Amino acid sequence: MKFRNKLFAGMSISAVALLLSGCQQQGSQGGISGFFYKLFGIPLQNIMLHMANSLGKNGAGYAIIIVTLVVRLILMPLMLKQQKGMLEQQHKIQQITPQLKLVQNAMKDSRVTPEKQMKLVNLQSQVYSKNNMKMMGSVGCLPLLIQLPILWAIYGAVANSKALSAATFYGISLGKTSIVLAIIATILTIIQSAISLIGVSEDQKKVMKSTMIIGPVMTIFFSLSFHGAIALYWTAGNLIMVFQQLIVTFIMQPRVKARINQELDEHPITQVVTEEILNQILSDVASDIPKSKSQNSETSLEEELRKKNAGKQKRD
């Protein structure tokens, strides 16, 4: 659940950033949009104009693809490291899933009281801690944040140049919305998501399938909301992501699984949760006794005080 929330939050940040850049008016140099335009947009604009003059009418598009390639190559080690961490976490969690399911089922029991629920939550935490695992792996937003200035720069470079606004890439306008690029970018997102499901357990597939829906929807939304230059960046980036996912699925994932399996052979999973332990917690009425005892002690104390006050009144 946390993974999905973080993913959705990251996409929401992208949407806000792109919408803010969409509000930029031609010639505007104020605010954060103007800052990124001066820092990244003007240099990128000059590169795109130079390549357009050198390579002809498709040169501006090639400039965007080259920028995309450079950005993705810079991000690839970081993203591969994050994906490796996620693979390790996923494979480890598969081993403790039976214990977690026992706790989840116990949570639904009608005998669960707030005190017993706290014991079950604590038991679930022990499953992770005693097996040296974290409750949830971190996805990280750094790759996304690094790309935002580049998106602003591409938008500003095209929006503030009449020549680039009129430029095309094999007949596709860089200054207007492109349905063709939107469709291609979306298809590439679906392919990348489908590859990521290979070799994943059924339980994890159920969680990941929701992201398979979010990804293509957000891709086509972004691509159709802005001009063709942004869609071209998105398309080129998604194509690189497909190759990156192939590396993760068919090279990195088998190695990670083999290493984790070897570690588990040397240090087997610690059994923290059993049916017997859960039955003891659910059948235990001790959690209700302190409350009864405290109520009884308060009642007896009140009665004793009343008797003492009554005796004083009689003596008076």
Side-chain angles (χ1 to χ4, degrees), residues 13 37 39 60 77 79 86 89 106 110 116 134 163 192 208 219 224-225 235 289 292 316:
I13 292 172
Y37 173 66
L39 188 62
M79 296 181 74
M86 288 174 59
Q89 187 77 350
S110 58
K116 292 175 182 177
K134 296 180 181 179
Q192 187 261 335
M208 294 174 67
T219 299
L224 292 177
S225 298
T235 302
I289 292 176
S292 301
D316 294 341

Coordinates of all heavy atoms in Angstrom, one line a residue, residues 13 37 39 60 77 79 86 89 106 110 116 134 163 192 208 219 224-225 235 289 292 316:
I13 N 3.4 14.8 -8.2 CA 4.4 15.9 -8.2 C 4.7 16.2 -9.7 O 4.9 17.4 -10.1 CB 5.7 15.5 -7.5 CG1 5.4 15.3 -6.0 CG2 6.8 16.5 -7.7 CD1 6.5 14.7 -5.2
Y37 N 14.2 28.1 -17.0 CA 14.3 28.4 -18.4 C 15.7 29.0 -18.7 O 16.3 28.7 -19.7 CB 13.2 29.4 -18.9 CG 13.4 29.9 -20.3 CD1 13.3 29.0 -21.4 CD2 13.6 31.2 -20.5 CE1 13.4 29.5 -22.7 CE2 13.8 31.7 -21.8 CZ 13.7 30.8 -22.9 OH 13.9 31.3 -24.1
L39 N 18.4 28.7 -16.8 CA 19.4 27.8 -16.4 C 19.6 26.6 -17.4 O 20.7 26.2 -17.8 CB 19.2 27.2 -15.0 CG 20.3 26.3 -14.4 CD1 21.6 27.2 -14.3 CD2 19.9 25.8 -13.1
A60 N 15.9 19.3 -34.5 CA 15.4 19.7 -33.1 C 14.9 18.4 -32.4 O 15.1 18.3 -31.2 CB 14.3 20.7 -33.2
P77 N 22.3 4.3 -13.3 CA 22.9 3.6 -12.1 C 22.1 3.7 -10.8 O 21.9 2.8 -10.1 CB 24.3 4.3 -12.0 CG 24.6 4.8 -13.3 CD 23.2 5.2 -13.9
M79 N 18.8 4.4 -10.7 CA 17.5 3.6 -10.8 C 17.7 2.1 -10.7 O 16.9 1.4 -10.1 CB 16.9 4.0 -12.1 CG 16.5 5.5 -12.2 SD 15.7 5.9 -13.7 CE 14.0 5.2 -13.5
M86 N 14.6 -3.0 -4.3 CA 13.2 -3.5 -4.3 C 13.1 -5.0 -4.6 O 12.3 -5.6 -4.0 CB 12.4 -2.7 -5.4 CG 12.2 -1.2 -5.1 SD 11.4 -0.3 -6.4 CE 9.9 -1.3 -6.7
Q89 N 14.0 -6.8 -1.5 CA 12.9 -6.7 -0.5 C 11.8 -7.6 -0.9 O 11.2 -8.3 0.0 CB 12.5 -5.2 -0.4 CG 11.5 -4.9 0.7 CD 12.1 -4.9 2.1 OE1 13.3 -5.2 2.2 NE2 11.4 -4.4 3.1
A106 N -5.8 -13.0 11.7 CA -6.1 -12.9 13.1 C -6.7 -11.5 13.4 O -7.6 -11.4 14.3 CB -4.9 -13.1 14.0
S110 N -13.3 -11.8 15.5 CA -14.3 -11.0 16.2 C -13.8 -10.8 17.7 O -14.3 -9.9 18.4 CB -15.6 -11.7 16.2 OG -15.5 -13.0 16.7
K116 N -5.5 -6.5 22.2 CA -5.1 -7.7 21.4 C -4.5 -7.2 20.0 O -3.6 -7.8 19.5 CB -6.2 -8.7 21.2 CG -6.6 -9.4 22.6 CD -7.8 -10.3 22.4 CE -8.2 -10.9 23.7 NZ -9.4 -11.8 23.6
K134 N 13.0 -4.6 6.6 CA 12.3 -3.4 6.8 C 10.8 -3.6 6.5 O 10.5 -4.4 5.7 CB 12.9 -2.2 6.0 CG 14.3 -1.9 6.3 CD 14.8 -0.8 5.4 CE 16.3 -0.4 5.7 NZ 16.8 0.7 4.8
A163 N 10.9 29.4 -34.1 CA 11.5 28.4 -35.0 C 11.2 27.0 -34.5 O 10.8 26.1 -35.3 CB 13.0 28.7 -35.2
Q192 N 6.8 -2.0 -20.8 CA 7.8 -2.0 -19.6 C 7.1 -2.6 -18.4 O 7.7 -3.3 -17.6 CB 8.2 -0.6 -19.4 CG 9.3 -0.4 -18.3 CD 8.8 0.0 -17.0 OE1 7.7 0.6 -16.9 NE2 9.5 -0.3 -15.9
M208 N 1.2 -4.9 -8.0 CA 1.8 -4.2 -9.1 C 0.9 -3.9 -10.3 O 1.1 -3.0 -11.0 CB 3.0 -5.0 -9.6 CG 4.2 -5.1 -8.6 SD 5.5 -6.2 -9.1 CE 6.2 -5.3 -10.5
T219 N 0.9 8.6 -18.5 CA 1.7 8.8 -19.7 C 0.9 9.5 -20.8 O 1.3 10.5 -21.4 CB 2.3 7.5 -20.2 OG1 3.1 7.0 -19.2 CG2 3.1 7.8 -21.5
L224 N -0.7 14.1 -24.0 CA -1.8 14.9 -24.7 C -2.0 16.2 -24.1 O -2.7 17.0 -24.7 CB -3.1 14.0 -24.7 CG -3.1 12.8 -25.5 CD1 -4.4 12.0 -25.3 CD2 -2.8 13.0 -27.0
S225 N -1.4 16.5 -23.0 CA -1.6 17.8 -22.3 C -0.6 18.9 -22.7 O -0.8 20.0 -22.5 CB -1.6 17.6 -20.8 OG -2.6 16.8 -20.3
T235 N 8.4 9.6 -25.0 CA 8.5 8.4 -25.8 C 10.0 7.9 -25.8 O 10.2 6.7 -25.6 CB 8.1 8.8 -27.2 OG1 6.8 9.3 -27.2 CG2 8.2 7.5 -28.1
I289 N -8.9 -8.2 32.2 CA -8.9 -8.3 33.6 C -8.5 -7.0 34.3 O -9.1 -6.5 35.2 CB -8.1 -9.5 34.1 CG1 -8.8 -10.8 33.7 CG2 -7.9 -9.5 35.6 CD1 -8.0 -12.0 34.0
S292 N -11.2 -4.6 34.7 CA -12.2 -5.0 35.7 C -11.7 -4.8 37.1 O -12.4 -4.3 38.0 CB -12.6 -6.4 35.5 OG -13.1 -6.7 34.2
D316 N -20.3 12.8 65.2 CA -20.6 14.2 65.3 C -22.0 14.4 65.8 O -22.3 15.4 66.5 CB -20.4 14.9 64.0 CG -18.9 14.9 63.5 OD1 -18.1 14.7 64.4 OD2 -18.7 15.1 62.3

